[in-house]
Amino acid sequence: MANHKSAIKRIRANATKRLRNRYQAKTTRNAIKKLRHTTSAEEAKTLLPRVISMLDRLAKKNVIHKKKASNNKSKLTKFVNGLA
């Protein structure tokens, strides 16, 4: 167990950040799945900017790698354009 006050605080802060990161990552994965299972082009075009925003936010906070976010955005955009 940690002996310093700062180490104890760091453990608490890390646990809080971990929970927040997991929640945001899971929410984004669910949004991606919802977009992938969409058959309507109009609905997909409204969902795409929201999903891209979520991916950018995760990449900015280093929850996911920036290139993974870029690859996901590219694939999802191709998918949506293919529906039209």
Side-chain angles (χ1 to χ4, degrees):
M1 187 63 197
N3 291 324
H4 297 281
K5 285 177 77 173
S6 61
I8 294 168
K9 180 179 177 180
R10 178 60 41 211
I11 290 168
R12 284 197 321 264
N14 287 341
T16 305
K17 287 178 186 176
R18 178 177 174 269
L19 284 176
R20 186 182 311 122
N21 288 342
R22 287 184 65 197
Y23 170 76
Q24 290 175 342
K26 185 66 174 179
T27 305
T28 305
R29 284 198 305 271
N30 287 338
I32 290 171
K33 287 177 191 172
K34 184 178 179 184
L35 179 60
R36 280 260 178 222
H37 288 90
T38 301
T39 54
S40 167
E42 295 166 5
E43 186 180 348
K45 285 184 180 179
T46 59
L47 282 174
L48 184 64
R50 201 175 303 153
V51 173
I52 286 177
S53 173
M54 293 169 113
L55 287 168
D56 285 337
R57 208 172 308 131
L58 289 180
K60 180 180 171 187
K61 294 179 181 180
N62 290 324
V63 177
I64 61 173
H65 196 272
K66 65 181 180 179
K67 290 190 177 180
K68 179 180 176 66
S70 180
N71 285 334
N72 278 338
K73 290 191 302 187
S74 174
K75 288 176 185 176
L76 290 171
T77 304
K78 280 175 114 175
F79 172 76
V80 171
N81 288 338
L83 286 177

